[in-house]
Amino acid sequence: MSVSQIIIFPILLPLASAIAMLFFRRSVMVQRIISLLTSFLLLTAAGVLLSAVISEGVLTLQVGGWAAPFGITLAADLLSAVMVAVSALIGLTTVIYSFAVIDSERERFFYYPLFQMLMMGINGAFLTGDVFNLYVWFEVMLISSFVLLVLGGTPVQLEGAIKYVTINLLSSSVFLAASGILYGIAGTLNMAELARITPDLAQKELLAVVSVLFMITFGIKAAVFPLFFWLPASYHTPPVAVAAIFAGLLTKVGVYALIRFFTTVFSHEAVFINEVLLVGSALTMLSGVLGAVAQYDLRKLLSFHIVSQIGYMIFGLAVHSPLAIAGALIYIVHNIIAKTNLFYISGIIERICSTCDLKKTGGVYARYPVIGILFLIPALGLAGIPPLSGFWAKFVVIKAGFEAGEYVVTGIAVLVSLLTLFSMMKIWNEAFWKDMPRKDYAAGENSYDSMGIGQRVLLFSPVVALALLTVLLGVFFEPVFRLAESAALQLLDTEAYIVPILGGKE
Amino acid sequence: MYSIILATASKYLLLLLQMFSLFLLFRGHNEPGGGFVGGLVAASAYALYFIANGISEAEKLLKIDPFYLIATGLMIAVSSILPSLLVGLDVMKAIWIDTGIPFLGKAGTPLVFDIGVYFLVLGITLKIMFSLAEEDRQ
């Protein structure tokens, strides 16, 4: 078995396990065991993939043995490998968290197989080296996410799902149209070949249109201003475990696609796109955080924060220096971990106070001080307090912004950082610090107090693990930065991506 | 409406159509045919039987929940990847063996994939059909 075969495992493992679980549809316990096992294997495979990519450079796999521009290419560079590793980690923690919070009705209706299909779609999107294939993986991911979003069928879920499905269908059709036009111009959809031939193509105007279409479609998926409104309208409706994986991973797939397209594939078009993205990123940061400050629903507040944080990543991409892209990568990793964790904790708060309305919550710190501390780590991390991971992520992005002379947008980034801190403190004040307004905590079947010790272990181990990672990423920042820097250099050197797939230039 | 002619004919047609669906399945890949159309023909055989004899008879005949046909089909289709993975070729590269059997000829991993698709299509079509009939029954 050659080393590059490891690329297929992040796609194959979730698929195989989802199918295996179908045979055990009556036994939720067996499904849980398979999910857990798969998630561990997936994390291992992702770890092996990452270390192989670090030691050997870009790995490629030609599916079916059909040579590069004609067949389907899977390729893993450092960016892909890091994304797969982080999403595998989030997949594992969310599976464990799901054991504690997902109700048995949803579990019986294929929650775990759907979850694995979602992971397959995400991993496929990270690993593919073909534009149309990327479209297919987006669809796999979206269809799983549609079902996960409506699973349970409460009215509020359906309302959120209508917005989510409509906008995503729109974005998919733009994606498909753009792919069609691109194929018409270039005669290929292999990313490496596109990267090689597009600079010499005659139809510059059409190419510019296509790149804008791709920017729009990935902008919708990544929730960039002004295309983000679907996100806060839908992410607070599904169960918290589903919301957590959506918040952590789905928008980042859009960001990944933006980075992949406007560094590797359309590197020469990037100048114009970057100007648009720069303005877009500033408005994304600002509108997201202002939306968050105004919210009193905990999960809506966190949803607006996703938007705001996306702005920083896009900012890094738009500045386009090696340092800025390294910063964007660090930001993605940091944000996936911290944001998912905040959603986990919002689920715990909801269990304690039986509501997500910050006006009706309170007193959590007095009753459960440990939860307060666990909240503070990702919250302060998100706001960018040293030595947590968010500080470094912001520091690198902002430093790159100043170096590039983008003072206005960088200034906005600093301001948004303060507002982020403000809104995190708002959650702290309203949910943890002030007295409980009603004096009665949730009781009954779904409340926190009724959970057994085993369930609490399942509930807290993901939170503790991710909080620990937020601290560790900050404290041992140097290796993280070096990895991100080499990933960024690899992205900006398109030949590093093209040669392993297509071979050297004739 | 129960028609004795159709009910009697459907029993024989069921067998014939199933043989035809298998013929289509094995004929596929290089000639028109394959798992998808084979599965559809097999499902239409059951559809005919169900129209003639009613849903409970059709379910009794099938014996197995179509859901498990779907799962089995998926499992078989995915397992067609395994040989290429174990031999160490590029993933999903087709491996062909000349069986020497006149009807079958060359068999390989694409055939395994096609058989998976056959069961998958059969299962999904039957599942949809039975679900619609279920509404009718209530």
Side-chain angles (χ1 to χ4, degrees):
Chain A
M1 213 163 91
S2 64
V3 71
S4 62
Q5 285 201 333
I6 189 73
I7 298 179
I8 198 72
F9 283 95
I11 299 171
L12 201 54
L13 281 172
L15 175 65
S17 80
I19 295 169
M21 277 186 261
L22 292 184
F23 286 101
F24 301 100
R25 68 163 164 172
R26 305 226 185 277
S27 168
V28 168
M29 197 32 95
V30 176
Q31 288 190 24
R32 284 181 169 199
I33 293 167
I34 296 176
S35 301
L36 191 62
L37 207 64
T38 314
S39 304
F40 267 114
L41 286 175
L42 185 60
L43 188 59
T44 319
V48 174
L49 178 66
L50 181 60
S51 68
V53 172
I54 290 173
S55 61
E56 310 208 0
V58 179
L59 294 180
T60 67
L61 183 72
Q62 311 299 345
V63 175
W66 303 103
F70 310 110
I72 293 169
T73 303
L74 297 179
D77 60 356
L78 275 173
L79 172 65
S80 305
V82 168
M83 295 300 282
V84 168
V86 178
S87 57
L89 177 77
I90 297 299
L92 176 62
T93 53
T94 308
V95 162
I96 295 172
Y97 190 79
S98 301
F99 294 160
V101 297
I102 292 291
D103 50 298
S104 60
E105 195 68 7
R106 286 192 173 85
E107 282 186 321
R108 283 202 301 115
F109 280 92
F110 307 111
Y111 173 80
Y112 295 113
L114 283 166
F115 186 89
Q116 294 297 339
M117 293 304 267
L118 183 73
M119 291 308 292
M120 174 175 89
I122 292 170
N123 287 337
F126 288 148
L127 289 172
T128 184
D130 183 279
V131 176
F132 187 74
N133 210 226
L134 180 66
Y135 170 78
V136 174
W137 289 122
F138 264 108
E139 290 306 297
V140 171
M141 187 177 91
L142 285 174
I143 289 170
S144 323
S145 71
F146 292 162
V147 186
L148 281 174
L149 196 62
V150 295
L151 199 65
T154 56
V156 59
Q157 274 184 297
L158 294 177
E159 192 215 327
I162 286 172
K163 293 164 191 157
Y164 181 81
V165 170
T166 315
I167 191 75
N168 272 301
L169 283 181
L170 183 73
S171 130
S172 294
S173 27
V174 175
F175 192 172
L176 196 59
S179 309
I181 302 171
L182 183 59
Y183 188 70
I185 304 170
T188 180
L189 286 177
N190 186 297
M191 289 182 190
E193 202 182 17
L194 281 173
R196 181 169 280 176
I197 66 170
T198 44
D200 306 325
L201 282 176
Q203 297 114 312
K204 287 270 175 277
E205 299 79 13
L206 260 181
L207 215 53
V209 172
V210 168
S211 56
V212 170
L213 284 178
F214 278 120
M215 185 184 73
I216 292 171
T217 179
F218 298 137
I220 293 175
K221 312 257 187 216
V224 177
F225 180 89
L227 309 165
F228 67 82
F229 51 88
W230 57 271
L231 192 149
S234 60
Y235 271 23
H236 63 287
T237 58
V240 67
V242 177
I245 192 106
F246 281 17
L249 296 180
L250 291 196
T251 45
K252 275 60 171 193
V253 181
V255 176
Y256 163 84
L258 278 172
I259 294 178
R260 171 65 72 216
F261 265 69
F262 296 113
T263 57
T264 311
V265 183
F266 286 125
S267 48
H268 53 285
E269 292 288 333
V271 182
F272 164 67
I273 293 289
N274 284 343
E275 281 168 20
V276 181
L277 283 180
L278 194 65
V279 179
S281 71
L283 292 171
T284 311
M285 286 189 258
L286 210 55
S287 52
V289 85
L290 290 179
V293 167
Q295 286 299 325
Y296 264 93
D297 180 302
L298 178 53
R299 275 163 72 183
K300 272 192 188 162
L301 194 157
L302 290 175
S303 301
F304 270 105
H305 262 299
I306 302 174
V307 176
S308 161
Q309 308 289 314
I310 294 289
Y312 283 92
M313 302 165 201
I314 304 299
F315 178 48
L317 172 63
V319 171
H320 220 81
S321 64
L323 186 66
I325 289 181
L329 300 186
I330 297 166
Y331 212 104
I332 294 175
V333 173
H334 140 74
N335 189 250
I336 289 176
I337 292 169
K339 180 55 76 185
T340 315
N341 205 358
L342 282 174
F343 267 86
Y344 291 160
I345 293 164
S346 81
I348 298 176
I349 295 175
E350 197 180 346
R351 294 247 154 177
I352 294 171
C353 303
S354 76
T355 174
C356 264
D357 186 351
L358 284 176
K359 285 177 182 151
K360 294 184 193 143
T361 57
V364 175
Y365 183 67
R367 238 171 110 113
Y368 310 101
V370 180
I371 300 178
I373 289 164
L374 284 174
F375 167 78
L376 276 183
I377 293 171
L380 294 180
L382 204 70
I385 304 291
L388 302 166
S389 62
F391 165 71
W392 295 106
K394 277 193 176 136
F395 176 74
V396 174
V397 172
I398 287 170
K399 182 167 190 286
F402 276 129
E403 277 179 10
E406 303 289 355
Y407 298 111
V408 179
V409 185
T410 315
I412 291 175
V414 176
L415 174 74
V416 168
S417 200
L418 276 177
L419 288 172
T420 309
L421 185 61
F422 169 73
S423 60
M424 285 301 144
M425 285 308 103
K426 181 169 142 186
I427 300 178
W428 174 256
N429 282 335
E430 297 291 336
F432 290 91
W433 199 246
K434 78 166 191 240
D435 288 331
M436 181 77 182
R438 288 170 296 141
K439 299 286 170 217
D440 58 326
Y441 289 90
E445 211 185 330
N446 263 333
S447 70
Y448 179 77
D449 288 334
S450 71
M451 290 177 122
I453 186 79
Q455 234 180 337
R456 286 190 193 189
V457 170
L458 292 174
L459 195 65
F460 278 105
S461 49
V463 176
V464 173
L466 293 188
L468 210 59
L469 257 176
T470 305
V471 176
L472 287 179
L473 280 181
V475 174
F476 297 99
F477 181 66
E478 204 188 327
V480 179
F481 180 71
R482 260 194 258 119
L483 183 64
E485 202 182 23
S486 43
L489 289 173
Q490 201 179 51
L491 276 172
L492 291 173
D493 174 20
T494 44
E495 283 297 312
Y497 186 81
I498 298 172
V499 172
I501 296 173
L502 291 177
K505 234 175 191 156
E506 309 82 54
Chain B
M1 188 196 72
Y2 181 77
S3 151
I4 194 152
I5 298 174
L6 188 61
T8 315
S10 70
K11 278 174 198 155
Y12 298 101
L13 281 173
L14 180 70
L15 198 66
L16 275 176
L17 282 170
Q18 271 180 331
M19 279 163 65
F20 181 56
S21 79
L22 286 178
F23 167 72
L24 282 176
L25 166 66
F26 287 111
R27 186 172 182 262
H29 200 69
N30 289 329
E31 285 176 276
F36 192 89
V37 57
L40 277 182
V41 170
S44 68
Y46 281 103
L48 188 68
Y49 190 84
F50 145 63
I51 291 167
N53 299 294
I55 176 74
S56 348
E57 283 296 313
E59 271 174 344
K60 219 183 284 169
L61 181 78
L62 192 67
K63 291 191 185 74
I64 176 176
D65 186 343
F67 180 85
Y68 290 106
L69 283 177
I70 300 175
T72 313
L74 281 169
M75 190 59 108
I76 295 172
V78 169
S79 70
S80 73
I81 302 173
L82 282 181
S84 60
L85 210 58
L86 293 177
V87 176
L89 290 167
D90 282 322
V91 173
M92 293 187 211
K93 192 171 173 66
I95 300 171
W96 293 96
I97 306 161
D98 204 340
T99 53
I101 304 167
F103 173 67
L104 202 57
K106 273 184 162 182
T109 47
L111 184 65
V112 179
F113 185 80
D114 253 354
I115 293 171
V117 173
Y118 179 90
F119 281 112
L120 179 62
V121 172
L122 177 63
I124 285 180
T125 320
L126 289 178
K127 182 81 198 166
I128 294 170
M129 213 162 67
F130 287 175
S131 307
L132 291 175
E134 204 64 35
E135 261 172 36
D136 207 32
R137 186 150 57 180
Q138 278 154 10

